[in-house]
Amino acid sequence: MRSAQLITQFYGKHSALFFKTGILCLSIALTACQKNETAPPADIPKKIELIQQDLVAVQQGSVISKTDFTGTIRAVNQSSIQAQVTATATSVNAQVGQSIAKGQVLVRLNNQDNAARLTQSQANLASAQAQANQAKLMMQRKQRLLNQGFISKVEFEQSKVDYQAQLENVNAQQSSVDIARKADQDGTIYSPINGIITKRQVEPGQTVAAGTTLFEIVDPNHLEIQAQLPSDLQSALKVGQKIEYSIQGNSYKLTATLSRISPIADPASRQIEFFAQPSQNINSLSIGAFVEGAILGSNSVSGQIIPLDTIQNLQAKPYVWVIRQHKIIRADISVLEQRYSDNSAVVQGLENSDLISRVKFTEDDIHKEISINKE
């Protein structure tokens, strides 16, 4: 009887415990279900937003092929004046920036030694000419004596030889006079061209050595473009080709005509030198200025025109990022022409409806959708 009561009490207590545990588990399960039902959906990838200024439409067109170059402005006529003798400058008659005419005296040198040599050589010449005249008269006299039979033919021939020797002496003395006169004239230096003095390196009273540069002169009325081009682009060089260029410090576009081409490439730099005649007058202050330009080709290139700076990996396998059907696409292209002067390129490989992106993307962005903010 006692045992039966204990068993009844044990099952009663554990039944209550089991009931409470079941209720607790049920509550937890219901709570979990409720949380699952109210959990927010997974994040949906957002569209990449661009503004209208980030995109450029593809344009169809053609451009004239251009070959870019760099060069300088130089004077066609220019001269560097050197002293031909060692002497002291007695007067200097030209200043930097002064316009001078051909034949104008620039500087006079104290050239007394050469003047004395000229006087001496002229005296020697006069003496030689007198002796030659005397020998001639003697030869003529012996000619008459020979004809009358008073002297032998050998004696006449000797007088003839003496006369020829005196003539050669006269010629030698005349050469000495010419040399001395040239040295004397070198004491007065004249301008060989019309132009403007750009450099003066002599002052009155200064002793200059032979070969010293005294003046530099340029003719500002005849200027040209001097430039070089790599030998592998030599097909672009033809006399008469039109050129577009701009001078450093001046944004205006100017034109010129290719006038001369060096017949050989420089063996060290592999560059071909060429010259062009400007179509417009150029200020003399531009002499020596840096020039950027392009040689215009005779053929035009047709294709799709896009900004040059939007092309990626230009030198190897060029491509651009485009928006096609509102998605990011990496489009491989062929570059037909590059124009750095106006940041444009002629290419092939795009669709007419493509929008070129100025924004650079990554491989992970390919096929992502794009939204365009037009405000």
Side-chain angles (χ1 to χ4, degrees):
M1 183 68 178
R2 181 63 177 171
S3 299
Q5 290 178 348
L6 290 173
I7 293 173
T8 301
Q9 291 177 356
F10 174 79
Y11 282 108
K13 291 179 180 181
H14 283 75
S15 296
L17 179 60
F18 290 151
F19 178 75
K20 291 179 180 180
T21 302
I23 294 297
L24 180 59
C25 292
L26 181 61
S27 299
I28 293 173
L30 290 174
T31 302
C33 292
Q34 185 177 4
K35 287 184 178 180
N36 289 335
E37 291 177 357
T38 59
D43 292 338
I44 300 175
K46 295 182 178 180
K47 294 182 178 180
I48 297 177
E49 183 175 309
L50 298 176
I51 60 176
Q52 195 70 37
Q53 289 77 7
D54 293 332
L55 304 173
V56 180
V58 175
Q59 297 181 355
Q60 294 287 335
S62 61
V63 296
I64 298 176
S65 60
K66 294 184 177 183
T67 305
D68 296 327
F69 70 88
T70 57
T72 56
I73 299 293
R74 68 181 292 273
V76 176
N77 299 321
Q78 51 187 320
S79 179
S80 181
I81 311 300
Q82 286 90 26
Q84 301 299 313
V85 295
T86 299
T88 301
T90 56
S91 64
V92 182
N93 305 318
Q95 303 288 340
V96 173
Q98 177 182 341
S99 296
I100 56 174
K102 181 179 180 180
Q104 180 176 334
V105 176
L106 301 178
V107 62
R108 296 185 186 276
L109 302 175
N110 184 0
N111 204 16
Q112 293 179 350
D113 291 344
N114 289 321
R117 293 189 185 96
L118 175 60
T119 301
Q120 182 180 2
S121 62
Q122 287 174 334
N124 293 337
L125 175 62
S127 176
Q129 287 175 335
Q131 293 177 8
N133 290 335
Q134 182 65 29
K136 181 178 180 181
L137 292 174
M138 183 59 68
M139 182 188 69
Q140 291 173 346
R141 181 183 177 185
K142 289 188 175 183
Q143 176 72 57
R144 290 193 298 270
L145 293 174
L146 175 65
N147 294 337
Q148 296 174 3
F150 292 108
I151 62 173
S152 65
K153 187 175 181 180
V154 172
E155 189 174 352
F156 168 73
E157 293 293 339
Q158 182 61 47
S159 65
K160 188 176 180 181
V161 170
D162 291 341
Y163 173 60
Q164 292 295 331
Q166 292 299 329
L167 287 180
E168 294 299 328
N169 187 34
V170 169
N171 293 333
Q173 293 300 329
Q174 182 63 58
S175 298
S176 297
V177 170
D178 293 341
I179 293 172
R181 181 178 289 112
K182 173 63 169 59
D184 182 59
Q185 292 174 348
D186 287 340
T188 303
I189 298 176
Y190 304 88
S191 173
I193 61 173
N194 298 322
I196 296 177
I197 300 293
T198 60
K199 184 179 293 186
R200 165 178 156 171
Q201 296 179 306
V202 60
E203 299 296 335
Q206 177 182 346
T207 299
V208 296
T212 302
T213 297
L214 306 181
F215 297 95
E216 289 187 3
I217 308 171
V218 299
D219 181 3
N221 297 320
H222 299 87
L223 305 182
E224 65 181 357
I225 299 171
Q226 180 183 22
Q228 292 183 332
L229 204 65
S231 58
D232 57 347
L233 298 177
Q234 59 182 289
S235 59
L237 294 174
K238 295 180 181 178
V239 173
Q241 290 287 94
K242 297 299 181 181
I243 288 176
E244 289 181 349
Y245 72 98
S246 60
I247 302 174
Q248 184 181 23
N250 189 338
S251 59
Y252 290 105
K253 288 289 184 182
L254 303 174
T255 59
T257 303
L258 202 155
S259 57
R260 292 181 288 132
I261 304 171
S262 173
I264 60 174
D266 183 90
S269 63
R270 304 299 180 187
Q271 299 277 322
I272 300 176
E273 190 173 44
F274 66 92
F275 301 86
Q277 183 66 43
S279 303
Q280 300 85 6
N281 291 329
I282 302 176
N283 192 304
S284 62
L285 296 177
S286 298
I287 296 176
F290 183 73
V291 168
E292 289 184 335
I295 303 172
L296 305 182
S298 56
N299 300 322
S300 62
V301 179
S302 300
Q304 299 162 320
I305 302 176
I306 64 173
L308 181 61
D309 58 5
T310 61
I311 301 177
Q312 311 298 318
N313 199 22
L314 180 60
Q315 302 303 324
K317 295 184 63 176
Y319 67 91
V320 290
W321 294 105
V322 302
I323 308 305
R324 184 180 297 170
Q325 297 178 354
H326 298 285
K327 291 184 179 181
I328 299 173
I329 300 296
R330 170 178 163 163
D332 294 329
I333 59 174
S334 298
V335 180
L336 306 180
E337 181 72 20
Q338 305 172 38
R339 299 179 61 179
Y340 291 92
S341 58
D342 58 2
N343 187 39
S344 65
V346 182
V347 303
Q348 289 180 342
L350 299 174
E351 296 182 3
N352 293 335
S353 60
D354 286 343
L355 296 175
I356 309 299
S357 173
R358 296 186 182 275
V359 178
K360 297 180 181 179
F361 298 104
T362 65
E363 298 293 332
D364 295 335
D365 296 324
I366 294 177
H367 299 309
K368 286 185 178 180
E369 293 194 2
I370 292 293
S371 65
I372 301 175
N373 186 350
K374 297 184 179 181
E375 295 182 0

